[in-house]
Amino acid sequence: MAVEVSSLFTVSASDYKSIVSMNLFVALLLACIVIGHLLEENRWVNESITSLLIGLTTGFVILLISGGKSSHLLVFSEDLFFIYLLPPIIFNAGFQVKKKQFFRNFITITMFGALGTLISFCVISLGAIGFFKKLDIGSLDVNDYLAIGAIFAATDSVCTLQVLNQDETPLLYSLVFGEGVVNDATSVVLFNAIQSFDLTRLDARIFLQFSGSFMYLFFASTLLGVVAGLISAYVIKKLYFGRHSTDREVALVLLMAYLSYMLAELFYLSGILTVFFCGIVMSHYTWHNVTESSRVTTKHAFATLSFLAETFIFLYVGMDALDIEKWRFVSSSPGTLIAVSTILMFLVMVGRAAFVFPISFLTNLAKKSPNEKINFRMQVTIWWAGLMRGAVSMALAYNQFARAGHTQLIGNAIMITSTISVVLFSTVVFGLLTKHLIRFLLPQSSVHFSSVSTVSSYLGSPKSITVPFLGNQQGSETDLGSQEFARQVGIGRPNSLRMLLNSPSHTVHYYWRKFDDSFMRPVFGGRGFVPFVPGSPGEQSANNLP
């Protein structure tokens, strides 16, 4: 009997190794948080670079201890990234975004994020075909070259968003932030479409099918996110779980958010777009239908999960960059690796410039107010923000050129290591220079809209929380459709066709608010339409009125 009991507590060597690895990784996450806090005011380093450098240092130490056999504690898994780490980051981005600024600049954001990504994809793909065939880096076909375009068209603007203040530079912040999310979604949709078609024999029919598949994925994913958010708002408004259990209410909000992402994956859609727009809809309707305690809990929970996921990703990317298995296959041709990485970085920079400045020029032609135009300093900032590459590029590169994190083909090994090199160089070097570039390009005296920053009351919006990796200032969705705000920014009441032509974005927003207040909020809830139930936010708000 004693032998049987002791066997229950016996841990196999592999299980014990996993437990040790998890302990060390959790300790490293804690170290990233503490060191990131201590370096908060540092002129050069931010949280993402801190996590990346800690990962590199840890990987180097593990490489020495293991005798050059391994550099990481965990094996990279695409499922871990796309199913567990990416959803909370993207959802929190939609949940915390300033919807007024986002949708006021929605056309510009879509042009940067969707059309711009396609332009960058074409530049990088064509450049890769032209340069790499001369380098003889291995057997890469047309699909591989197109996949390279999609991989390196995916940006990571975290470092820039950490420096920008969405209250002082609302236009610039919304453009950089919105483009980053739409860009990631477009790149993943584009990558999936490339893998679904054999483009080695491209003709008009295949091109039309490819374009149709891309547009279907894009719009169907957005619609699914909106529908999922509306269903969650309606269910919580009607059943009102908070009367009996705040825990159930919070659990329902969390699970409905995650379910939207998994439904998109189930139907082979873009989970990034789906969960992002689900977050926007839930912050507009669902969040106002829950109790006050649930509001505080949910917004802190989403922000915390997003923060931990991003720290986890940067930490692991740093460790995985020193994986000896990937570098062993390219050790005989370091010159080729340097050439490929340099060419890719050059194509990324040219691809960004090919759409940022032309689209900004076209956008400015349609803008009447000087405060709404994208000046040259802002254009350079937008261009710079998209030069950095991150975990999305890494995950897509693994998907295309590796199996289970390793590869035996020299061409694939070069592409994996080149992707790692570009991610490290762009994140560390460009990230270190970001604060100084922003301070040079956007001195405090030239910041627009600083006098019109908007902060709502505590119960007004989920944006009143501090959001790690997205900005450290308070912000909110505020009902600034009033005449006072219109007077401050020079927008008249849109009561004629002339006003529609002069300020189309503000006019559309005005009529959307009328439609929203008349039809949507009475059904799905939202600010000012929460149910009046004992203990509800409606009663709390009513009791607080003077």
Side-chain angles (χ1 to χ4, degrees):
M1 181 67 179
V3 175
E4 294 180 357
V5 172
S6 62
S7 64
L8 293 176
F9 296 95
T10 302
V11 181
S12 65
S14 60
D15 291 339
Y16 183 76
K17 183 178 179 181
S18 299
I19 293 172
V20 172
S21 298
M22 288 303 300
N23 274 276
L24 290 175
F25 207 92
V26 172
L28 289 173
L29 285 174
L30 292 172
C32 289
I33 295 173
V34 173
I35 296 175
H37 168 72
L38 296 176
L39 297 176
E40 183 72 27
E41 301 300 327
N42 188 275
R43 296 178 56 191
W44 296 91
V45 182
N46 54 39
E47 287 178 304
S48 58
I49 297 177
T50 301
S51 302
L52 191 63
L53 293 178
I54 291 176
L56 281 170
T57 305
T58 305
F60 181 74
V61 172
I62 295 175
L63 197 63
L64 293 178
I65 295 176
S66 64
K69 295 180 180 179
S70 176
S71 67
H72 46 69
L73 301 172
L74 302 173
V75 177
F76 182 85
S77 169
E78 293 174 48
D79 292 339
L80 174 67
F81 176 75
F82 281 106
I83 296 180
Y84 300 107
L85 297 178
L86 194 59
I89 296 174
I90 302 299
F91 178 84
N92 187 64
F95 196 71
Q96 305 288 349
V97 68
K98 282 188 172 183
K99 294 183 287 296
K100 179 181 285 289
Q101 278 294 332
F102 180 82
F103 285 105
R104 177 173 292 166
N105 303 298
F106 184 73
I107 296 177
T108 306
I109 289 172
T110 304
M111 291 178 67
F112 277 127
L115 178 61
T117 302
L118 293 175
I119 295 174
S120 180
F121 159 77
C122 293
V123 171
I124 296 173
S125 296
L126 293 175
I129 293 174
F131 286 109
F132 292 169
K133 285 187 175 180
K134 298 178 181 179
L135 293 177
D136 189 24
I137 63 173
S139 56
L140 299 179
D141 56 27
V142 175
N143 280 57
D144 289 328
Y145 287 118
L146 294 177
I148 290 172
I151 290 169
F152 288 96
T155 65
D156 190 336
S157 53
V158 167
C159 291
T160 306
L161 290 173
Q162 289 176 347
V163 179
L164 291 177
N165 185 318
Q166 64 176 325
D167 288 322
E168 294 179 348
T169 56
L171 173 60
L172 180 60
Y173 189 95
S174 66
L175 292 178
V176 173
F177 169 81
E179 187 221 340
V181 176
V182 178
N183 166 273
D184 285 345
T186 305
S187 299
V188 174
V189 169
L190 196 58
F191 182 84
N192 292 335
I194 291 170
Q195 290 194 321
S196 302
F197 289 89
D198 182 11
L199 301 176
T200 56
R201 299 178 179 177
L202 185 63
D203 55 26
R205 182 179 61 84
I206 294 179
F207 177 77
L208 290 176
Q209 290 179 346
F210 177 81
S211 302
S213 175
F214 175 80
M215 297 301 293
Y216 164 75
L217 288 174
F218 201 91
F219 289 105
S221 302
T222 302
L223 180 61
L224 178 60
V226 173
V227 171
L230 291 176
I231 291 175
S232 70
Y234 184 81
V235 169
I236 290 181
K237 179 175 181 290
K238 289 298 181 183
L239 300 182
Y240 202 75
F241 291 85
R243 287 178 295 182
H244 306 296
S245 173
T246 299
D247 297 337
R248 293 176 186 171
E249 194 172 47
V250 173
L252 188 64
V253 173
L254 292 171
L255 292 175
M256 287 292 290
Y258 188 67
L259 179 63
S260 68
Y261 184 89
M262 296 311 299
L263 283 175
E265 296 297 315
L266 178 66
F267 296 127
Y268 301 101
L269 300 175
S270 171
I272 296 177
L273 270 179
T274 297
V275 78
F276 177 72
F277 280 96
C278 180
I280 291 178
V281 173
M282 290 185 73
S283 70
H284 188 66
Y285 297 109
T286 310
W287 190 79
H288 294 280
N289 295 340
V290 300
T291 59
E292 180 181 344
S293 57
S294 295
R295 295 184 189 186
V296 176
T297 303
T298 52
K299 64 185 181 182
H300 279 283
F302 288 136
T304 302
L305 289 174
S306 174
F307 172 78
L308 289 176
E310 288 199 3
T311 305
F312 185 103
I313 289 172
F314 279 104
L315 179 62
Y316 183 80
V317 167
M319 285 192 294
D320 192 63
L322 298 179
D323 185 12
I324 196 65
E325 289 293 329
K326 302 180 182 66
W327 297 96
R328 182 176 294 138
F329 292 100
V330 298
S331 59
S332 60
S333 54
T336 303
L337 172 63
I338 295 174
V340 171
S341 301
T342 304
I343 290 171
L344 287 173
M345 198 68 250
F346 171 75
L347 292 175
V348 165
M349 299 174 75
V350 173
R352 288 289 298 175
F355 75 85
V356 169
F357 299 106
I359 290 179
S360 298
F361 174 76
L362 295 175
T363 301
N364 289 339
L365 293 179
K367 299 293 184 181
K368 302 298 182 181
S369 173
N371 287 338
E372 294 182 346
K373 292 188 176 183
I374 308 172
N375 60 46
F376 182 72
R377 290 173 179 262
M378 296 171 66
Q379 294 175 32
V380 174
T381 304
I382 295 171
W383 173 77
W384 180 270
L387 293 181
M388 283 156 274
R389 297 298 178 264
V392 174
S393 295
M394 290 277 290
L396 296 181
Y398 275 105
N399 185 289
Q400 181 69 20
F401 298 107
R403 294 293 180 270
H406 304 286
T407 181
Q408 305 295 326
L409 300 176
I410 183 64
N412 290 4
I414 288 177
M415 292 313 307
I416 290 291
T417 50
S418 296
T419 303
I420 294 173
S421 301
V422 170
V423 169
L424 289 179
F425 178 84
S426 62
T427 302
V428 175
V429 176
F430 293 157
L432 288 174
L433 298 175
T434 296
K435 285 186 179 180
H436 300 276
L437 180 70
I438 298 299
R439 288 172 181 171
F440 172 75
L441 293 175
L442 304 171
Q444 200 67 21
S445 59
S446 66
V447 172
H448 296 295
F449 285 85
S450 59
S451 62
V452 197
S453 70
T454 57
V455 181
S456 66
S457 62
Y458 176 73
L459 289 178
S461 166
K463 271 68 70 180
S464 59
I465 184 177
T466 298
V467 186
F469 284 105
L470 291 181
N472 294 326
Q473 301 296 325
Q474 291 184 339
S476 66
E477 178 221 2
T478 51
D479 294 327
L480 295 180
S482 63
Q483 294 183 0
E484 175 62 23
F485 176 72
R487 181 187 63 78
Q488 290 180 5
V489 297
I491 304 168
R493 182 182 179 88
N495 53 9
S496 67
L497 179 61
R498 182 179 179 182
M499 286 307 304
L500 177 61
L501 297 175
N502 289 337
S503 55
S505 61
H506 303 294
T507 307
V508 171
H509 180 264
Y510 169 77
Y511 284 110
W512 157 249
R513 291 306 300 267
K514 290 187 65 176
F515 173 79
D516 191 30
D517 292 339
S518 301
F519 300 100
M520 298 297 289
R521 293 192 184 191
V523 177
F524 299 104
R527 182 185 308 210
F529 290 86
V530 293
F532 190 87
V533 180
S536 71
E539 183 189 32
Q540 304 261 354
S541 300
N543 291 336
N544 291 333
L545 291 176

